[in-house]
Amino acid sequence: MWRGLWTLVSRAARGPHSPRLCTRQGSGYRAPGSGATIFALSSGQGRCGIAVIRTSGPASGHALQSLTAPRDLPLARKACLRLLSDPRSGEPLDRALVLWFPGPQSFTGEDCAEFHVHGGPAVVSGVLQALGSVPGLRPAEAGEFTRRAFAHGKLSLTEVEGLADLIHAETEAQRRQALRQLDGELGDLCRGWAETLTKALAHVEAYIDFSEDDNLEEGVLDQADSEVRKLEVALGVHLRDARRGQRLRSGAHVVVAGPPNAGKSSLVNLLSRKPVSIVSPEPGTTRDVLETPVDLAGFPALLSDTAGLREGVGPVEQEGVRRAQKRLEQADLILAVLDASDLASPASCNFLDTVVIPAGARNPNGSRQRLLLVLNKSDLLPAGRSDLHPDLPSHLLLSCLTGEGLDGLLEALKKELAALCGDPSTGPLLTRSRHQHHLRGCLDALGLLRGQVRGQWKLRPRLEEHPEALGYLGTA
Ligand SMILES: Nc1nc2c(c(=O)[nH]1)N(C=O)[C@@H](CNc1ccc(C(=O)N[C@@H](CCC(=O)O)C(=O)O)cc1)CN2
């Protein structure tokens, strides 16, 4: 049984499925075709000032020498101006900066060369074709440079994910989060957890080896138990918070809702800085849900414009209202819009009663739906704004027409989105379902482990009644 226990602890430490959450490989792992030297255009496609072409693999030095004159390798990691020509014809291709990174001190850990050429399409294709003609070189597959960096232990799996997120980051908050993950914060956190678990393992092993020894300190298993308990709490906190990191990667769902003609579409267009929705004085113009990804005060959001909520309309608009209501239920944040000059209308009162007030009330699990109430068309109010009802829930005044109040709204949005997406500066967030999957597996294994530590030998007869459980434990 103790071997079974050991398997559990180490399984919890390692995670049930390889690769580990923050695996750093570096030996043993060889991607298919990894002996070849690869090359690719690393900068974007299309005409540009400078384009960067990279190679990685054992023939990189030879490739660099084949294309450049003079043919000697430049000093390691120092940019150097060379004439590039096609090794087959001697045809000049460009005058370019080249760099030589002898492995293992390179991005991939292999010998690497870089050609910083003029970004014209003919120059780029000329250099790529010339590289393709060098024996031992082939075009890289998508992501292959990064895969090699992983294979050589230059990046861990969470760092690779951080790098991918950084390349796709469109907002400031996404960039910050991705950069911190690329810098290894999430990996460090996981390694810290793994160390705690290794310590617990050492205590359990000491108990196995010396349990007959009277000198063995009392309470060794209790110590392991309390360490694992603390770990369970820490993992639980991160798992409960996981939705925030994922929202930061993919965008929070912000739904703009309100009665017809409150100015929802104008607000969507103002926030997205483009004419996403048709704006007209005619009530019921927006009938379907219109979605647009936006950068709201540095945070990514998926902004939805919805049909004005009202009753007694035709079947098409009714379907629009049904869709709007469904979207409201799924919203991370509701931007509730009312016409500030029309607050007493039945449509405004109904919206306040059915959407705004209930969202403020706590639901049974203690959370409340986030909502910002925006009173639009403030430009139509008399100077004193005396007609606003004193019982109105807390709100922001805005004029989509003049832009007055927009800064205040953006500030409020920033606060709400920071709470929804998590603040990467306070610690690493779980950003993918893969992280959740492994942490949940770890938590399950820890639960079983603590059960066993507490049950000790008494557990054995019961486990024997469940061969499948014994199989899972890898029993002695
Ligand atoms: N021109 C160029 N710019 C680039 C890259 C590149 O490959 N080439 N990068 C690539 O995506 C990123 C930078 N990442 C890099 C990471 C490590 C090393 C490197 O040479 N590492 C060595 C030495 C480390 C050191 O001197 O501190 C190593 O890890 O041993 C280079 C680039 C972004 N900018």
Side-chain angles (χ1 to χ4, degrees):
M1 176 187 121
W2 286 115
R3 182 135 46 91
L5 191 55
W6 186 90
T7 310
L8 253 184
V9 184
S10 40
R11 227 177 137 157
R14 247 181 258 115
H17 310 291
S18 60
R20 281 199 245 176
L21 201 148
C22 61
T23 304
R24 186 180 287 279
Q25 284 193 277
S27 63
Y29 174 80
R30 276 178 74 82
S34 58
T37 298
I38 52 170
F39 65 92
L41 172 66
S42 297
S43 49
Q45 299 282 347
R47 199 177 314 255
C48 55
I50 312 282
V52 178
I53 293 165
R54 287 193 290 188
T55 74
S56 177
S60 288
H62 174 63
L64 185 52
Q65 285 175 303
S66 306
L67 264 71
T68 54
R71 291 202 177 275
D72 54 321
L73 281 175
L75 283 179
R77 312 169 66 81
K78 293 262 185 283
C80 155
L81 188 62
R82 294 278 155 105
L83 182 70
L84 302 189
S85 49
D86 191 316
R88 294 164 297 184
S89 58
E91 170 89 13
L93 297 168
D94 194 10
R95 184 171 292 279
L97 282 178
V98 297
L99 280 145
W100 165 235
F101 298 91
Q105 276 180 297
S106 68
F107 171 66
T108 60
E110 301 177 326
D111 285 353
C112 289
E114 287 189 6
F115 302 84
H116 295 218
V117 301
H118 291 103
V123 176
V124 170
S125 73
V127 174
L128 289 175
Q129 278 172 31
L131 284 171
S133 76
V134 177
L137 264 71
R138 65 158 172 85
E141 289 162 19
E144 202 173 359
F145 282 87
T146 306
R147 189 166 77 195
R148 289 185 177 203
F150 171 68
H152 292 105
K154 291 286 179 183
L155 293 174
S156 72
L157 212 46
T158 48
E159 286 161 5
V160 167
E161 290 167 339
L163 178 58
D165 288 349
L166 188 62
I167 290 168
H168 290 105
E170 289 191 349
T171 72
E172 213 178 294
Q174 284 177 318
R175 186 198 62 218
R176 254 189 252 131
Q177 147 81 21
L179 194 57
R180 294 176 81 107
Q181 193 169 322
L182 173 60
D183 279 347
E185 279 195 10
L186 184 56
D188 289 347
L189 181 71
C190 297
R191 266 183 293 282
W193 287 335
E195 266 168 36
T196 307
L197 214 43
T198 311
K199 265 193 222 149
L201 176 62
H203 287 130
V204 173
E205 282 188 345
Y207 186 83
I208 298 167
D209 290 345
F210 306 113
S211 55
E212 254 110 78
D213 185 341
D214 290 343
N215 293 332
L216 184 73
E217 234 179 278
E218 284 274 317
V220 163
L221 282 186
D222 284 347
Q223 204 169 333
D225 187 58
S226 99
E227 275 163 18
V228 169
R229 178 75 205 117
K230 274 190 226 145
L231 193 60
E232 279 180 325
V233 171
L235 298 192
V237 167
H238 273 81
L239 272 172
R240 276 192 295 281
D241 224 22
R243 270 179 65 85
R244 298 205 289 164
Q246 284 176 359
R247 261 191 219 117
L248 187 53
R249 273 190 73 228
S250 45
H253 289 262
V254 179
V255 177
V256 179
N261 243 359
K264 298 179 294 299
S265 298
S266 303
L267 180 58
V268 166
N269 292 347
L270 187 68
L271 290 175
S272 59
R273 288 172 230 105
K274 54 183 185 238
V276 176
S277 300
I278 300 172
V279 173
S280 96
E282 194 180 310
T285 306
T286 305
R287 295 184 157 200
D288 210 342
V289 176
L290 289 174
E291 252 179 11
T292 183
V294 289
D295 176 341
L296 282 182
F299 287 91
L302 203 60
L303 194 61
S304 304
D305 189 8
T306 58
L309 300 175
R310 62 169 168 177
E311 284 161 3
V313 289
V316 177
E317 206 178 327
Q318 228 171 47
E319 174 60 15
V321 170
R322 197 191 62 78
R323 290 182 187 194
Q325 270 156 347
K326 189 151 176 253
R327 196 52 69 96
L328 267 179
E329 286 162 22
Q330 300 160 342
D332 293 316
L333 172 65
I334 300 171
L335 265 181
V337 187
L338 285 174
D339 179 341
S341 67
D342 187 34
L343 292 174
S345 73
S348 294
C349 293
N350 187 42
F351 182 71
L352 278 167
D353 286 344
T354 56
V355 176
V356 179
I357 312 281
R362 289 189 178 272
N363 62 29
N365 61 30
S367 64
R368 63 185 177 85
Q369 197 164 24
R370 291 184 177 272
L371 180 143
L372 284 176
L373 176 59
V374 178
L375 304 187
N376 185 29
K377 309 193 190 179
S378 65
D379 51 288
L380 296 180
L381 293 178
R385 288 165 179 173
S386 51
D387 63 333
L388 291 183
H389 199 282
D391 291 343
L392 213 56
S394 90
H395 55 267
L396 295 142
L397 278 169
L398 173 76
S399 165
C400 286
L401 188 71
T402 64
E404 202 189 343
L406 181 61
D407 288 348
L409 173 61
L410 286 175
E411 207 42 53
L413 277 169
K414 191 174 183 169
K415 265 200 207 140
E416 292 290 336
L417 290 166
L420 277 168
C421 300
D423 181 358
S425 61
T426 58
L429 297 165
L430 305 183
T431 49
R432 291 171 187 248
S433 51
R434 188 182 76 82
H435 306 158
Q436 275 174 280
H437 171 80
H438 284 280
L439 282 201
R440 241 184 245 121
C442 184
L443 254 185
D444 290 349
L446 289 178
L448 283 169
L449 161 71
R450 289 208 321 123
Q452 281 224 343
V453 169
R454 267 190 259 108
Q456 293 179 46
W457 295 102
K458 275 175 257 157
L459 205 65
R460 185 168 173 83
R462 269 193 285 135
L463 275 177
E464 274 172 350
E465 288 161 22
H466 298 283
E468 75 288 354
L470 286 173
Y472 174 72
L473 299 178
T475 186

